[in-house]
């Protein structure tokens, strides 16, 4: 990579008495060309097409997480718009020369027509009013007057409102470049007036490659695994990763060696990945004492308990991805990929999902706990205990046959023998429940529902029925029931009321039977064990089935 690609993008600093002032890597290796931006190819292609077609927007909004290149991109756009080429005759270009006076002045932060403002410290309407007034005047020496406002979401409501009119109809010689990490805080009225670019998180493999180039440029040897660890810790931010690399190089210099993976782990307090795999193996084997001892060893080495659970979550996620068949991460060590493949063939998807949920719950508990290491131990014990439990679907399959069926609800004791075939119309129903069912089959649906939910039977001796007067039945219901039964059975029925409590309604009896069945299921050893393993689980109703004789 050339010096131009990895060049300085800051004002020159006076040398110290002992030589040139040290520049941290995050500033020293700031990108000087669009090609040097890592992982932002889509944005660069859009800008290139816009410049070639002379369709340059008057305002750009750059958003993304920290360290992905928002401010660097804004400066590059300023250079691209104002570059005049080495011979002074060039126009706007996606490849600024970096040699002409505008390019050098913008790179050093001293160009009079490129104004950078930090909205975090200039939030008020007065600051914006100064920009509005100055934007009326043409650029002094550049092609465009460019305003770069960093962390624009920090502007006050009044400042945003004051900017709207100028932002919508700016003078032709003015360009606005906004950068923010919290685009959701920018008013929609501002967003609608800007061309928005969402800068993506930089993939870990690209960061590792970039860090390797920087290490080589600095004359420092670095293990690929160490650079991969730094790239993961950076979480998509080139600036964060270079800061960590800077620290790792300083650490290596003290030891007189290169940047090693072990040193990076110690420096960041990361859990050793082989130790994590060993711990996961102990959990899957159900070795509770061994798992607790392994956790304590990492804790004694200074690894945060929450970090151990996070590493276990990453491992379970990696095994799941391997089982799904996704492409392997080239940044992973070979032994780790091999372990994931082996576990993927041994573990089922339900078990992997269960492990994920248990570890995620433990991770959240440790984050809030007053006793983190003890909470982590309890979380691992829960995993060990749950590992030996069968899948919930397997629990249902192991239940005794007929447990999930709903018994018939009648007001008479169940018959010792199976019920006879469906009776003819002339044969009277043997029970009130059978009578209601006969009415349902005969087309009297609403009437059958009213009887099942509201009628309490004191005596059933067909063709006479005595209902409880304690729960009155409407006179029209009795009359309709009498007429319906006469039509269904060719028999005159006598329905009366008596001031007596009577039996529960059919609906009440059915609900009581269902609750008794539910309690019986909860009392079964398999379900009790499942609820102990999953304290937040609950028994839900399954589809009711009728007994088939």
């Amino acid at each position: 990579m050339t010096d131009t690609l990895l060049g300085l993008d800051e004002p020159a600093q006076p040398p110290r008495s002992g030589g040139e002032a040290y520049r941290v890597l995050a500033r020293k290796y700031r990108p000087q060309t669009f090609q040097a931006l890592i992982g932002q190819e889509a944005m660069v292609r859009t800008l290139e097409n816009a410049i070639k077609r002379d369709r340059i927007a008057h305002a750009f909004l750059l958003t993304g997480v920290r360290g992905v290149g928002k401010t660097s991109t804004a400066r590059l756009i300023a250079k691209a718009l104002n570059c005049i080429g080495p011979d002074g005759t060039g126009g706007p270009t996606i490849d600024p020369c970096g040699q002409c006076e505008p390019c050098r002045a913008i790179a050093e932060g001293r160009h009079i027509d490129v104004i950078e403002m930090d909205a975090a410290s200039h939030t008020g309407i007065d600051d914006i009013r100064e920009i509005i007034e100055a934007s009326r005047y043409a650029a002094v020496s550049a092609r465009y007057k460019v305003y770069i406002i960093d962390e624009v979401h920090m502007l006050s409501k009044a400042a945003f409102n004051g900017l709207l009119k100028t932002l919508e109809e700016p003078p032709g010689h003015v360009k606005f470049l906004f950068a923010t990490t919290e685009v959701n805080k920018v008013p929609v009225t501002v967003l609608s007036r800007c061309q928005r670019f969402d800068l993506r998180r930089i993939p870990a493999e690209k960061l590792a490659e970039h860090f390797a180039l920087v290490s080589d440029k600095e004359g420092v040897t670095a293990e690929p695994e160490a650079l991969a660890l730094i790239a993961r810790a950076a979480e998509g931010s080139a600036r964060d990763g270079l800061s960590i690399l800077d620290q790792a190089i300083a650490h290596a210099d003290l030891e007189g060696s290169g940047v090693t993976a072990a040193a990076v782990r110690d420096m960041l307090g990361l859990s050793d990945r082989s130790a994590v795999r060993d711990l996961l193996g102990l959990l899957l084997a159900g070795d509770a004492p061994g798992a607790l001892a392994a956790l304590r060893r990492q804790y004694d080495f200074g690894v945060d308990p929450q970090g151990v659970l996070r590493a276990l979550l990453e491992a379970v996620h990696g095994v799941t991805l391997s089982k799904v068949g996704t492409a392997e991460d080239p940044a992973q060590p070979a032994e780790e990929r091999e372990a994931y493949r082996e576990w993927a063939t041994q573990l089922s998807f339900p078990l992997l999902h269960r492990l994920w949920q248990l570890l995620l719950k433990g991770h959240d508990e440790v984050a809030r706990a007053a006793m983190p290491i003890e909470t982590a131990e309890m979380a691992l014990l829960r995993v060990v205990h749950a590992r030996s439990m069968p899948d919930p679907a397997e629990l249902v399959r192991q239940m005794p046959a007929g447990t999930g069926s709903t018994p018939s609800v009648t007001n008479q004791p169940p018959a010792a023998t199976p019920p006879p075939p469906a009776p003819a119309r002339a044969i009277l129903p043997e029970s009130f429940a059978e009578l209601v069912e006969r009415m349902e089959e005969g087309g009297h649906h609403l009437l059958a529902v009213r009887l099942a939910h509201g009628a309490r039977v004191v005596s059933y001796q067909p063709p006479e029925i005595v209902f409880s007067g304690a729960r009155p039945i409407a006179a029209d219901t009795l009359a309709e029931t009498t007429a319906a039964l006469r039509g269904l059975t060719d028999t005159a029925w006598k329905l009366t009321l008596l001031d007596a409590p009577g039996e529960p309604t059919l609906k009440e009896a059915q609900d009581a039977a269902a609750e008794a069945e539910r309690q019986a299921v909860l009392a079964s050893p398999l379900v009790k064990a499942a609820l102990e393993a999953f304290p937040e689980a609950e028994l839900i109703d399954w589809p009711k089935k009728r007994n088939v004789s």
Side-chain angles (χ1 to χ4, degrees):
M1 189 169 287
T2 64
D3 290 335
T4 301
L5 186 60
L6 294 174
L8 174 65
D9 191 7
E10 63 172 356
Q13 299 182 13
R16 297 177 299 180
S17 58
E20 185 180 353
Y22 176 70
R23 297 187 298 274
V24 296
L25 298 181
R27 299 181 65 187
K28 184 177 180 180
Y29 293 101
R30 211 163 190 171
Q32 290 295 292
T33 68
F34 283 105
Q35 288 72 25
L37 284 173
I38 308 172
Q40 311 301 339
E41 293 79 8
M43 180 201 67
V44 173
R45 184 166 55 253
T46 302
L47 285 173
E48 181 179 8
N49 293 337
I51 292 174
K52 286 181 178 179
R53 298 172 183 174
D54 195 22
R55 301 177 63 89
I56 306 171
H58 61 272
F60 296 89
L61 178 70
L62 306 170
T63 179
V65 299
R66 68 196 185 283
V68 293
K70 298 184 296 297
T71 306
S72 296
T73 300
R75 292 178 181 176
L76 287 174
I77 294 175
K79 287 199 293 185
L81 297 178
N82 288 312
C83 178
I84 59 176
D87 57 0
T89 61
T93 174
I94 196 65
D95 296 312
C97 66
Q99 301 175 19
C100 64
E101 176 57 24
C103 284
R104 293 200 308 270
I106 293 172
E108 296 170 4
R110 57 178 175 81
H111 200 294
I112 192 172
D113 293 318
V114 178
I115 300 95
E116 292 193 34
M117 186 184 86
D118 179 19
S121 54
H122 300 81
T123 62
I125 182 62
D126 293 337
D127 301 300
I128 295 300
R129 189 177 290 118
E130 292 181 8
I131 293 178
I132 296 173
E133 292 295 330
S135 66
R136 299 177 181 177
Y137 303 100
V140 176
S141 62
R143 186 179 294 112
Y144 293 103
K145 180 177 285 187
V146 180
Y147 290 96
I148 300 175
I149 303 180
D150 200 10
E151 300 301 337
V152 69
H153 67 274
M154 300 290 287
L155 289 178
S156 65
K157 183 178 180 180
F160 274 125
N161 290 335
L163 186 62
L164 286 179
K165 187 61 178 178
T166 302
L167 189 60
E168 184 171 17
E169 298 177 359
H173 60 271
V174 174
K175 302 293 182 183
F176 290 97
L177 302 175
F178 302 138
T180 178
T181 54
E182 300 184 51
V183 69
N184 58 300
K185 293 184 179 180
V186 179
V188 177
T189 50
V190 173
L191 293 175
S192 64
R193 291 166 167 83
C194 300
Q195 190 171 100
R196 173 174 168 176
F197 289 104
D198 290 79
L199 276 67
R200 301 166 57 185
R201 287 181 183 269
I202 305 172
E205 57 270 18
K206 290 192 175 183
L207 281 178
E209 293 174 2
H210 181 61
F211 298 157
L213 292 173
V214 171
S215 300
D216 184 65
K217 189 77 175 178
E218 292 292 307
V220 177
T221 60
E223 295 179 357
E225 187 177 354
L227 297 178
L229 289 172
I230 294 174
R232 287 194 185 96
E235 296 182 342
S237 169
R239 183 175 62 235
D240 287 6
L242 287 172
S243 298
I244 298 172
L245 179 60
D246 220 339
Q247 183 181 356
I249 291 175
H251 186 77
D253 286 342
L254 291 176
E255 295 184 350
S257 60
V259 178
T260 64
V264 171
R265 289 193 189 94
D266 291 341
M267 184 183 71
L268 298 178
L270 298 176
S271 178
D272 183 87
R273 301 188 74 83
S274 62
V276 171
R277 294 195 299 272
D278 293 340
L279 176 55
L280 181 58
L282 292 169
L283 293 174
L284 294 175
D287 186 353
L292 295 182
L295 174 63
R296 281 288 178 174
R297 280 196 300 272
Q298 296 196 58
Y299 182 69
D300 293 339
F301 286 143
V303 180
D304 180 46
Q306 190 176 5
V308 176
L309 288 171
R310 179 186 177 91
L312 287 171
L313 281 167
E314 292 177 351
V316 172
H317 180 253
V319 175
T320 306
L321 292 182
S322 179
K323 189 172 184 66
V324 170
T326 58
E328 294 180 336
D329 184 358
Q332 286 180 339
E335 61 273 13
E336 184 171 292
R337 293 198 296 269
E338 179 61 31
Y340 286 179
R341 285 194 295 267
E342 183 178 353
W343 276 325
T345 60
Q346 298 173 358
L347 305 177
S348 64
F349 280 116
L351 179 56
L352 288 170
H353 295 325
R354 197 186 319 164
L355 286 172
W356 175 266
Q357 292 296 332
L358 291 170
L359 290 171
L360 185 62
K361 179 178 176 61
H363 180 275
D364 294 342
E365 290 175 348
V366 172
R368 303 189 304 266
M371 304 169 65
I373 183 61
E374 288 80 3
T375 305
E377 289 178 337
M378 296 302 294
L380 295 189
L381 288 176
R382 191 161 59 226
V383 172
V384 170
H385 181 64
R387 170 64 182 90
S388 60
M389 293 298 300
D391 183 72
E394 184 65 22
L395 288 176
V396 175
R397 285 193 294 268
Q398 293 182 20
M399 289 180 182
T403 301
S405 61
T406 302
S408 300
V409 179
T410 67
N411 291 338
Q412 302 288 341
T417 58
R425 285 168 54 90
I427 301 177
L428 302 183
E430 294 184 357
S431 66
F432 182 64
E434 186 179 338
L435 179 145
V436 172
E437 185 174 354
R438 181 89 66 86
M439 295 183 69
E440 175 77 28
E441 295 172 350
H444 303 282
H445 173 70
L446 294 179
L447 188 57
V449 170
R450 275 187 278 171
L451 292 175
H453 285 254
R456 290 180 176 172
V457 176
V458 176
S459 172
Y460 181 80
Q461 296 178 354
E464 294 185 7
I465 309 176
V466 180
F467 294 108
S468 171
R471 185 163 183 167
I473 301 177
D476 58 345
T477 300
L478 289 177
E480 291 177 20
T481 303
T482 302
L485 290 176
R486 184 178 183 88
L488 292 171
T489 62
D490 291 332
T491 304
W493 286 72
K494 181 180 179 181
L495 308 182
T496 59
L497 295 176
L498 179 66
D499 190 11
E503 299 180 0
T505 66
L506 294 178
K507 180 63 168 59
E508 291 171 343
Q510 186 178 16
D511 290 345
E515 180 59 25
E517 177 189 354
R518 175 184 175 84
Q519 294 302 323
V521 172
L522 290 173
S524 67
L526 285 173
V527 175
K528 289 179 66 176
L531 292 176
E532 289 176 2
F534 306 98
E536 297 183 0
E538 60 181 23
L539 180 65
I540 60 175
D541 293 334
W542 53 85
K544 305 297 185 183
K545 300 179 181 178
R546 293 183 179 273
N547 286 329
V548 180
S549 300

